[in-house]
Amino acid sequence: MKQILVTGSSGFIGKELFRFLKESQFKLLPLSHQDIAAYQNNNELFPAKQLSDIAGIINLAGVSISQRWNEKNKALILESRLNTTRFLVDSLQRAKDLQLPIPSVFINASGIGYYGISPAGIQTEESPPGSDFLASVCQQWEQTALQAERLGIRTVLCRFGVVLGVSGGALPRMALPFHWGVGGTIGNGNQHLSWIHLQDLLQILQLALTSSSLQGAYNLTSPHPISMRQFAASLGKQLKKPAWTRLPGTAAKLLLGEMAEAILLADQQVLPQRLLAEGFQFQFPDLTSALADLYPDSKTQE
């Protein structure tokens, strides 16, 4: 059974990844923020001999971006990602210097925030990066992860869209106003939401572990982005709740600050061009099928 080192395993996606892969050929080993801090406090890296028994690394670590951004929180958002990634890359470098075996694949989380708040038109992996805070975080995170590629490790950069699942992430919070009967759109509703069903995302992460053809940056999004107005209407229909309210963009910015503009009001039409070229078949390519799977009986969700 191949051992896979996973950071960020206590988060929404990390927990689901452990459940998803528990019956597979992989044995997942969690490496927590506390573990990394303990190594660093002792001026140590991850043990090189233990690293030689690991087939791959999945790096999901980083504090949540779903909070009000101030200078302190923005610094934490950036450093939590760079610090963990540097620790992993430095540990790999030392093991290589000692001429010990190292993992063959390094999978690093990132986000479609890479493309900026409101890029023009459709975005693919070939599109240029944005210039706002979140775009800068993604760029620096990816550049740090790509140092693993220089060590001869197949490196996969996974730019996550909004991950839809009922056990965590954005969807339960987006659905909550609908359960209260006050669901609706945020902003003018014309901005596009690039999303992905949790199960499709987990399948892609598994594919990245096993397929040697996957290397470089990939958009982990459905092939069908949807406007926020359409998203609200579809969610209300699935939950059998009205979608009649509208939170103006100015109010969202007052409530949540810069984060609202970068996440809730951003207009991003991001397509998974490289995954489609690889022949990946999405189990839930459209929002209707995704929500039907996530809320098969809306009465149980109320």
Side-chain angles (χ1 to χ4, degrees):
M1 183 174 287
K2 296 180 179 179
Q3 297 188 83
I4 306 297
L5 190 69
V6 182
T7 67
S9 58
S10 63
F12 161 51
I13 294 172
K15 289 179 179 177
E16 293 293 343
L17 183 66
F18 267 72
R19 295 190 188 103
F20 180 74
L21 293 179
K22 68 179 181 180
E23 302 297 332
S24 71
Q25 73 268 36
F26 302 111
K27 178 182 179 182
L28 272 60
L29 305 175
L31 181 65
S32 70
H33 169 74
Q34 291 77 12
D35 294 333
I36 294 173
Y39 283 124
Q40 292 179 323
N41 288 338
N42 293 320
N43 199 28
E44 296 176 353
L45 296 172
F46 191 81
K49 288 186 177 180
Q50 188 176 347
L51 197 60
S52 67
D53 295 326
I54 292 169
I57 296 174
I58 300 178
N59 182 26
L60 302 173
V63 302
S64 173
I65 61 173
S66 297
Q67 57 179 308
R68 190 178 182 91
W69 294 353
N70 53 37
E71 291 308 308
K72 179 181 178 181
N73 288 341
K74 288 167 76 171
L76 286 173
I77 287 168
L78 176 62
E79 284 306 315
S80 64
R81 287 159 172 77
L82 298 189
N83 184 56
T84 298
T85 309
R86 286 194 200 106
F87 173 81
L88 293 171
V89 170
D90 289 346
S91 298
L92 291 165
Q93 179 69 67
R94 186 183 66 170
K96 189 173 181 68
D97 290 343
L98 293 172
Q99 298 184 337
L100 292 171
I102 56 176
S104 61
V105 59
F106 187 100
I107 300 170
N108 197 77
S110 182
I112 60 171
Y114 175 93
Y115 302 109
I117 292 175
S118 295
I122 291 171
Q123 306 299 301
T124 71
E125 291 87 353
E126 297 178 356
S127 299
S131 58
D132 57 279
F133 167 69
L134 196 55
S136 175
V137 168
C138 292
Q139 291 169 64
Q140 293 181 66
W141 196 9
E142 291 185 6
Q143 286 303 313
T144 305
L146 283 172
Q147 294 176 29
E149 194 172 57
R150 299 169 193 162
L151 301 176
I153 300 171
R154 181 170 61 87
T155 303
V156 185
L157 306 174
C158 296
R159 295 172 182 164
F160 294 176
V162 176
V163 182
L164 301 185
V166 294
S167 63
L171 185 60
R173 285 173 289 178
M174 297 172 83
L176 191 59
F178 288 86
H179 297 313
W180 292 340
V182 291
T185 62
I186 299 172
N188 60 24
N190 294 328
Q191 72 272 30
H192 286 83
L193 181 72
S194 293
W195 59 276
I196 185 169
H197 190 294
L198 173 66
Q199 290 303 307
D200 280 326
L201 180 135
L202 297 176
Q203 291 279 3
I204 295 165
L205 292 178
Q206 184 179 41
L207 181 66
L209 285 174
T210 58
S211 177
S212 60
S213 66
L214 265 67
Q215 186 162 353
Y218 290 84
N219 295 330
L220 272 60
T221 59
S222 156
H224 299 293
I226 194 168
S227 74
M228 186 64 77
R229 182 180 295 106
Q230 291 172 310
F231 181 89
S234 296
L235 182 57
K237 181 178 180 180
Q238 185 62 36
L239 296 176
K240 301 180 177 63
K241 296 288 186 179
W244 61 277
T245 64
R246 186 175 79 86
L247 180 66
T250 52
K253 291 177 188 178
L254 284 173
L255 288 171
L256 300 171
E258 186 180 353
M259 186 271 283
E261 186 173 10
I263 300 175
L264 301 177
L265 302 173
D267 183 18
Q268 295 177 315
Q269 298 185 67
V270 181
L271 298 184
Q273 178 174 274
R274 294 196 65 203
L275 283 169
L276 294 174
E278 288 278 345
F280 180 77
Q281 298 291 319
F282 284 83
Q283 187 176 357
F284 302 100
D286 61 89
L287 187 64
T288 299
S289 64
L291 292 177
D293 177 74
L294 293 166
Y295 295 111
D297 181 1
S298 62
K299 292 182 180 179
T300 65
Q301 305 295 327
E302 296 176 14

